[in-house]
Amino acid sequence: MSERHATIAEQLAKWRQDHLLAFWDVLTEQQRTTLLDSLSDSVDCGALDEAFRRAMATATSTKEDLNELLKPLARERYLSVAEATEAELEDLRQAGLEQIRAGRVGVILLAGGQGTRLGSTAPKGTYNVQLPSGKSLFQLQAERIRKLQQLAGGDGRIHWYIMTSEHTHTETLDYFRENNYFGLPADQVRLFRQRSVPCVDFDGRILLDEKWKVATAPDGNGGIYRALKDEGILDELDRAGVQYLHAHSVDNILIKVADPVFIGYCVRKDADCGVKVIEKVQPDEAVGVVCEVKGKYQVVEYSELSSETANRRNPTDGKLTFNAGNICNHFFTASFLRRIADTQMPLHVAKKKIPYVDTATGERVKPTAPNGIKMEKFIFDVFPLAERFVALEGRREEEFSALKNADSAGIDCPSSVRGDIYRLHRKWLIAAGAVEVLDAADASFDCEISPLLSYAGEGLELAASGQSFRCPVHLTGADERQAQ
């Protein structure tokens, strides 16, 4: 027995985790090294035990009934795109483009997840939803960045920081390299890893994924703050002169990456933290809402709202009182991210069906019911720390369509997000002067416009004015046509 093995075994026994070495005698030397490396690098038994107890205490504590404390966002901190004039929006757009032109804007993409619910183990950003172009989520977002830089003019770069996980990092990096970063300079794209946390059973004992491998899971999208510091990104922001960050999840196919209206609004309001929301129109829609609670801003999960609160409507316009639907779309200043980098984030317990190796039998088990927990942090849990918080309400049909499920689910799936792209792009053509956009023989409106041609519907008059289109329609940018 090596000294290293003995030291680790002693620590595991101290914290009731010695079962992790149950198969030591049957492991190969390579497997033993792999196990010891993972136990040394990613398993701090004392910290994990404290985190488990803290998470379980939060999960089992009696929650304060928020329903009597909730207030909708104050109007001076909230702007609806639908209610703003085109002149107001254009003013904000130009303010955002000015920041992009000056190189002060960066994007943080939350891309640590796999497409498990889509039936894929690949990084979700690589997923192809079968648009006519065959473009993945990553490619669509990269091309929106390229087009936005072109619209801004000048030499400003939008620095792209992509947060991966241990499960997606290598494959994501290979994917970008194989595709030449989709036309962006390689040094403009920075991948960094979020941390992983061991999965545990309901008693806090760590689960084995293999006889030589601990079961782990990413620490949630709230792991962004620690990762930005630990991976040196905060220092890189300073060196690059990036002052404003747009952070969003990878699975929103309609995402307006580095939206200049959003950036411009937050900068004009001198916000250190902001959120883009969509109007929640159905009381039972499974989406959290951004509210004010005791003078602080936070996301209240839909499950925490009473039926009376969820159904409450404004007497003036009939809209839901609490309708600021959260869609994981955020603005931060670099100084805010540095200020809160060491904040101890709340831990949330997610009960999951976690495959594991039974230490009694050595068999790998795929449970049919939740058998353990993953401890996660949420990105929006820093909202109460903001000194100047604002919200912008975008139009759902223009800004939000999430890819989460296989087509069998019928919602938030490849066919639904394709349909949302087609409807939006058809609307762009009509607005640009197209006489008509007719359906194909199969009654589908397959209509795709490349981000390299238009970021948000602008600049289509030359291609669309006075024209009739019959689907399928696929309009490409000049760079793409030259490459064909």
Side-chain angles (χ1 to χ4, degrees), residues 282-299:
Q282 298 297 329
D284 59 351
E285 183 180 2
V287 60
V289 291
V290 184
C291 305
E292 181 182 340
V293 181
K294 296 181 178 178
K296 299 291 185 180
Y297 297 92
Q298 67 180 70
V299 173

Side-chain angles (χ1 to χ4, degrees), residues 36 63 77 88 106 125 130 138 238 247 327 337 407 411 444:
L36 292 181
K63 287 189 176 180
R77 296 178 178 270
E88 290 172 324
Q130 301 302 314
F138 279 141
D238 287 344
I327 56 172
L337 292 174
D407 268 336
I411 59 170
S444 64

Side-chain angles (χ1 to χ4, degrees), residues 108 110 221 245-249 252 254-259 262-263 266 273-278 290 299 325-332 379-380 383 389-392 394 398-400:
I108 302 174
L110 309 175
N221 55 26
L245 284 304
H246 180 208
H248 63 87
S249 58
N252 179 6
L254 297 184
I255 186 72
K256 290 184 177 178
V257 185
D259 175 18
F262 186 32
I263 299 294
C266 292
C273 178
V275 61
K276 184 183 284 189
V277 298
I278 56 169
V290 184
V299 173
N326 180 53
I327 56 172
C328 194
N329 195 322
H330 310 295
F331 167 91
F332 305 108
I379 190 171
F380 53 71
F383 287 2
F389 182 86
V390 298
L392 179 73
E398 296 179 357
E399 305 223 28
F400 182 64

Side-chain angles (χ1 to χ4, degrees), residues 189-206:
V189 183
R190 171 72 153 88
L191 273 63
F192 67 103
R193 289 183 181 90
Q194 69 182 116
R195 298 296 172 262
S196 291
V197 178
C199 302
V200 299
D201 64 19
F202 297 127
D203 294 319
R205 288 165 60 82
I206 299 170

Side-chain angles (χ1 to χ4, degrees), residues 151-193:
L151 291 173
D155 300 322
R157 282 182 167 189
I158 298 172
H159 292 266
W160 200 13
Y161 304 94
I162 301 175
M163 187 172 78
T164 64
S165 66
E166 67 169 325
H167 304 288
T168 64
H169 185 84
T170 300
E171 196 169 347
T172 299
L173 182 58
D174 290 344
Y175 182 74
F176 272 87
R177 286 173 173 168
E178 290 164 5
N179 289 280
N180 297 313
Y181 293 86
F182 301 107
L184 290 168
D187 63 356
Q188 189 175 332
V189 183
R190 171 72 153 88
L191 273 63
F192 67 103
R193 289 183 181 90

Side-chain angles (χ1 to χ4, degrees), residues 375-390:
M375 289 174 281
E376 301 175 318
K377 304 169 186 175
F378 294 163
I379 190 171
F380 53 71
D381 278 331
V382 298
F383 287 2
L385 304 177
E387 296 175 353
R388 298 174 302 280
F389 182 86
V390 298

